[in-house]
């Protein structure tokens, strides 16, 4: 298994649950604060291949900008926008090598751990 990375803007409830999931299983992980260090375009492309652009974008009734990103036809253009505005991402993003999840996804993480 590759090393685990948790990308988030802050330690909100889903981030805390993700961290607790890995701590309880004694799995080391790296927390990446997106407000200090954003995701590179290559990192976003890797996540996009794993989960799809539509799953990466946080959609809500009040967040029209994220809806706009989801409607972009050019994936690269959308990923560039997401790299500049990580608050539009559905977080946390958890990566293990080429595998990735968005949001709280313990079933998938269990599969990664074998």
């Amino acid at each position: 298994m590759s090393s685990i990375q948790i990308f988030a803007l802050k330690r909100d409830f889903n981030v805390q649950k993700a961290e607790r999931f890995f701590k309880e299983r004694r799995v080391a992980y790296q927390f990446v604060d997106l407000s200090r260090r954003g995701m590179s375009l290559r990192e976003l492309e890797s996540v996009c291949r794993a989960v799809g652009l539509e799953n990466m974008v946080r959609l809500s009734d009040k967040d029209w900008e994220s809806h706009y990103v989801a409607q972009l036809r050019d994936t690269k253009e959308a990923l560039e926008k997401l790299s500049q505005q990580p608050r539009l991402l559905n977080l946390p993003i958890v990566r293990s090598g080429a595998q990735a999840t968005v949001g709280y996804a313990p079933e998938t993480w269990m599969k990664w751990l074998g």
Side-chain angles (χ1 to χ4, degrees), residues 54-76:
E54 62 282 352
N55 294 317
M56 292 176 63
V57 178
R58 179 176 53 88
L59 295 177
S60 68
D61 293 336
K62 296 179 182 176
D63 201 345
W64 294 106
E65 192 168 10
S66 65
H67 183 70
Y68 166 75
V69 171
Q71 299 303 318
L72 288 174
R73 298 202 191 285
D74 181 1
T75 300
K76 186 167 183 152

Side-chain angles (χ1 to χ4, degrees), residues 41-60:
L41 192 53
R42 289 180 94 169
E43 288 170 324
L44 287 168
E45 288 169 346
S46 173
V47 173
C48 187
R49 281 191 298 276
V51 303
L53 179 62
E54 62 282 352
N55 294 317
M56 292 176 63
V57 178
R58 179 176 53 88
L59 295 177
S60 68

Side-chain angles (χ1 to χ4, degrees), residues 5-51:
Q5 294 177 299
I6 299 175
F7 294 87
L9 285 170
K10 60 181 179 176
R11 288 183 163 91
D12 68 10
F13 188 61
N14 280 335
V15 173
Q16 291 172 358
K17 290 191 314 184
E19 288 182 302
R20 184 172 35 244
F21 174 90
F22 291 108
K23 283 179 185 175
E24 288 174 352
R25 287 154 184 84
R26 300 177 195 263
V27 175
Y29 64 89
Q30 174 190 13
F31 180 82
V32 180
D33 183 350
L34 292 175
S35 65
R36 293 178 170 223
R37 177 197 167 270
M39 292 183 80
S40 71
L41 192 53
R42 289 180 94 169
E43 288 170 324
L44 287 168
E45 288 169 346
S46 173
V47 173
C48 187
R49 281 191 298 276
V51 303

